[in-house]
Amino acid sequence: MTDLLDVHTHTIASVHAYSTLREMITAAKEKGLKLIGISDHAPSMPGAFHEFYFCNFKVIRRDAYGIDLIMGVELNIIDFAGSTDLRQEFLDRMDYAIASLHDPCIRPGTREQNTAALIGAMKNPKVKIIGHPDNPKYPVDFDALAQAAKENHVLLECNNSSYMPGGSRQGSRELAGELLAACKKHGTMVIMGSDAHIDLDVGNHACAQELIKKYQFPEELVINNRPELLKEWIAQ
Ligand SMILES: [Zn+2]
Ligand SMILES: [Zn+2]
C-alpha cells in the first residue's frame, strides 16, 4: 500500500523524545512522505511542556518546509467521560488532536469505562484520531468504538509502535485483528501512525502494514495514501 503520511510523531517537546521539529520534518521528506503531523504530549504527561507550548503554533509556517506540515497534540484522556488536558482555546488554534489513554494519566477502568472514555473524547470536535485503541491495558468494546468513530468522523489508529517487538504496549498485536474486524464491519477509516519519538522512526508503519495485510483489511479504509483526504478530514 502506498503510504504518504504520518501524523503521530513526537519531538523533544515531549521530553522523552529526541529530535527537533526540523529533524522530524527532514526525515519525513527523506522517506518520501507528502504530509507530516507533529503531535507532542499534552501537559498531564510527566515532563511534558507547559500549555503555552501549544498556544503559539502560528509562528510555525506550514508552507515553509517543502512538505505539508500540520501541528497538533496527543491529548491525555483524564477521566471516563473522555475529558482531556488542554484548554479548548488552545486546541481551537491548532490543526488537529489525537486523544489517547496513557497509564501515567489515567488508571485503567472496566471495559465499559475505557470505551466510554474514548467515545467521550471523540465528542470534542478537534479530536480527529483515537491513538492506540488496542492497548490491552485498557480493554475496550471494539464494536462500539468503531461505530462511534464512524458516527463522530474520527479515525482509529493502527499504532506501529504498539505492534513492534519490545514496544511499550505489548499484546496490542494480538488485539489488532479485533480492532480491524470492527472497523471493517462499520466502514470505519483507520490511520497508521508511527508514534515516532525520534527521527529514525518517522513514517515507520511496517508492523501496522503487516497486520493490515494479514487481516485483509480493505485498503480504501486506510487513509495513509490520501494526504488530501486527511487535510479535508481534519478541516471538517
Ligand atoms: Zn500515546
Ligand atoms: Zn504518541
Side-chain angles (χ1 to χ4, degrees), residues 8 10 41 74 195 197:
H8 190 160
H10 298 271
H41 287 293
E74 184 176 13
D195 207 354
H197 283 66

Side-chain angles (χ1 to χ4, degrees), residues 38 97 103 114 122 128 233:
I38 305 290
D103 351 337
N114 300 330
M122 291 178 191
K128 305 296 183 184
W233 191 281

Side-chain angles (χ1 to χ4, degrees), residues 73 115 132 148 172 188:
V73 59
T115 306
H132 41 77
S172 300
T188 306

Side-chain angles (χ1 to χ4, degrees), residues 163-222:
Y163 305 143
M164 282 165 76
S168 52
R169 288 176 290 271
Q170 288 300 301
S172 300
R173 243 186 129 77
E174 287 67 33
L175 292 180
E178 280 180 53
L179 170 67
L180 291 172
C183 290
K184 192 172 173 178
K185 177 181 163 192
H186 292 285
T188 306
M189 297 276 299
V190 305
I191 184 167
M192 298 184 289
S194 68
D195 207 354
H197 283 66
I198 192 160
D199 56 356
L200 301 172
D201 282 331
V202 172
N204 179 7
H205 299 145
C207 297
Q209 292 245 28
E210 179 198 322
L211 291 166
I212 282 169
K213 197 169 166 196
K214 176 180 172 185
Y215 293 107
Q216 300 176 324
F217 188 71
E219 206 169 296
E220 63 270 21
L221 290 179
V222 185

Side-chain angles (χ1 to χ4, degrees), residues 63-232:
D63 60 353
Y65 295 92
I67 183 172
D68 278 335
L69 169 67
I70 56 175
M71 293 300 301
V73 59
E74 184 176 13
L75 295 169
N76 300 293
I77 297 173
I78 51 172
D79 62 32
F80 299 126
S83 309
T84 53
D85 59 338
L86 197 61
R87 273 194 268 169
Q88 195 66 33
E89 61 183 289
F90 293 152
L91 276 178
D92 288 342
R93 289 182 214 164
M94 60 178 74
D95 300 323
Y96 70 109
I98 301 172
S100 309
L101 294 163
H102 293 120
D103 351 337
C105 305
I106 185 169
R107 65 179 168 78
T110 63
R111 185 177 301 269
E112 289 67 32
Q113 286 174 318
N114 300 330
T115 306
L118 293 178
I119 292 176
M122 291 178 191
K123 306 292 178 192
N124 188 316
K126 208 52 153 186
V127 171
K128 305 296 183 184
I129 300 169
I130 293 295
H132 41 77
D134 47 10
N135 179 358
K137 270 194 188 162
Y138 295 89
V140 298
D141 177 343
F142 290 123
D143 192 69
L145 190 73
Q147 188 175 5
K150 172 86 178 176
E151 286 167 7
N152 290 285
H153 193 68
V154 167
L155 301 161
L156 296 182
E157 185 189 43
C158 291
N159 182 291
N160 196 74
S161 155
S162 294
Y163 305 143
M164 282 165 76
S168 52
R169 288 176 290 271
Q170 288 300 301
S172 300
R173 243 186 129 77
E174 287 67 33
L175 292 180
E178 280 180 53
L179 170 67
L180 291 172
C183 290
K184 192 172 173 178
K185 177 181 163 192
H186 292 285
T188 306
M189 297 276 299
V190 305
I191 184 167
M192 298 184 289
S194 68
D195 207 354
H197 283 66
I198 192 160
D199 56 356
L200 301 172
D201 282 331
V202 172
N204 179 7
H205 299 145
C207 297
Q209 292 245 28
E210 179 198 322
L211 291 166
I212 282 169
K213 197 169 166 196
K214 176 180 172 185
Y215 293 107
Q216 300 176 324
F217 188 71
E219 206 169 296
E220 63 270 21
L221 290 179
V222 185
I223 204 166
N224 291 66
N225 58 0
R226 283 164 286 173
E228 291 307 317
L229 178 60
L230 184 81
K231 284 194 282 179
E232 282 169 32

